[in-house]
Amino acid sequence: TSQEWKDNDGNTFKTQPTNLAKLVKYTGITNGLKHLQKAGLISNVQNIESWLVTNDNVPWDGMFALVDGKPTIIFSQAALNDQYTATITLMHEVGHGADNVVDGQGGTYSSSPELNLTFNNGSLRPVGAVAREVYNHFINEPDSPLSQMMVYPFVDNKGLNSDSMREEIFAQLYAFNGMEQARLFLKDNLPLTSAFMERTNAKIKQAATSTQTAGAVQGAKSGQVQAGV
């Protein structure tokens, strides 16, 4: 069943439903899942309830949205076809899900004081310690692996405001930090960012454990305990 949508820039596009079993035929998706599994964050993927894909020519690689209250990720077919883009897009959008982003309300972790900033008329002023460290690194080391990834949202930021800028920085850091070599890079080069992401990932894992426990208790009360809840 095809559905029609409109993105934040007013672009109309159609989606078709898909699922992880179909998506893993793309090497980039499989790689992203392996990274998240290794980082202990696979529960964030399991929390995504709906997966969609668009074949239309859209100016983005992926999108996280709540559709009828369900955490949903939409991929562009073009992003899926490119191995590296598919990996980063999956991890980035799963990062928005982990951040519990609700349109217009900010995210759970991207609202942290460490990521505080102002963004007006294309001018970014990082205030929080992590926002400052990442932005200064971007300015001083433009060719680093992190800086190349942070071109969005530091340069490509049409339509963003202070809240969405924080959310996008967080999602990029979640994706970057989800890869083992990148974690080591952060530890060596951006110690405040590395420590922030370690603390945040510990909270994310704790939240996932609490959800699983609550689900098991709820299941027990209703007389249905599922293995591996």
Side-chain angles (χ1 to χ4, degrees):
T1 50
S2 177
Q3 288 176 282
E4 191 161 287
W5 311 85
K6 197 175 269 194
D7 66 19
N8 291 339
D9 296 324
N11 300 299
T12 307
F13 62 97
K14 285 182 175 164
T15 61
Q16 289 74 39
T18 187
N19 55 46
L20 271 183
K22 290 178 183 169
L23 288 167
V24 292
K25 73 178 183 187
Y26 298 101
T27 310
I29 296 295
T30 306
N31 289 348
L33 292 172
K34 284 178 184 168
H35 285 309
L36 292 169
Q37 179 83 50
K38 202 165 186 182
L41 296 168
I42 202 68
S43 63
N44 294 157
V45 177
Q46 291 156 347
N47 289 339
I48 304 299
E49 294 181 47
S50 177
W51 303 85
L52 302 169
V53 64
T54 179
N55 288 300
D56 292 351
N57 185 17
V58 289
W60 39 263
D61 298 320
M63 185 186 294
F64 173 81
L66 288 175
V67 178
D68 298 330
K70 290 181 180 179
T72 300
I73 289 178
I74 305 171
F75 290 105
S76 78
Q77 186 61 53
L80 290 175
N81 292 342
D82 182 86
Q83 188 175 316
Y84 175 78
T85 305
T87 299
I88 299 302
T89 302
L90 171 73
M91 297 172 76
H92 175 101
E93 302 306 338
V94 167
H96 282 315
D99 193 26
N100 303 308
V101 169
V102 178
D103 202 28
Q105 292 180 28
T108 304
Y109 307 109
S110 54
S111 300
S112 302
E114 291 93 333
L115 286 177
N116 199 11
L117 55 83
T118 59
F119 181 64
N120 294 310
N121 300 321
S123 173
L124 174 65
R125 189 172 74 87
V127 178
V130 171
R132 280 205 312 273
E133 186 178 61
V134 173
Y135 190 66
N136 288 341
H137 174 83
F138 179 78
I139 297 301
N140 296 321
E141 306 282 347
D143 296 325
S144 86
L146 177 64
S147 294
Q148 288 176 2
M149 201 158 142
M150 297 304 293
V151 168
Y152 177 80
F154 286 155
V155 177
D156 303 335
N157 48 37
K158 182 183 168 217
L160 296 185
N161 57 29
S162 295
D163 282 341
S164 51
M165 173 65 81
R166 280 196 292 272
E167 290 164 13
E168 297 306 329
I169 291 171
F170 176 81
Q172 290 291 57
L173 289 176
Y174 176 97
F176 189 80
N177 188 67
M179 297 179 279
E180 196 168 14
Q181 289 301 314
R183 274 198 296 285
L184 296 173
F185 178 88
L186 288 182
K187 213 164 200 172
D188 291 344
N189 296 281
L190 294 93
L192 298 177
T193 305
S194 173
F196 170 72
M197 290 310 296
E198 272 192 35
R199 288 195 306 275
T200 301
N201 283 352
K203 288 178 192 168
I204 288 171
K205 289 173 191 175
Q206 183 62 46
T209 308
S210 307
T211 306
Q212 287 173 342
T213 307
V217 170
Q218 195 59 44
K221 282 180 181 168
S222 63
Q224 298 171 335
V225 180
Q226 275 182 297
V229 165

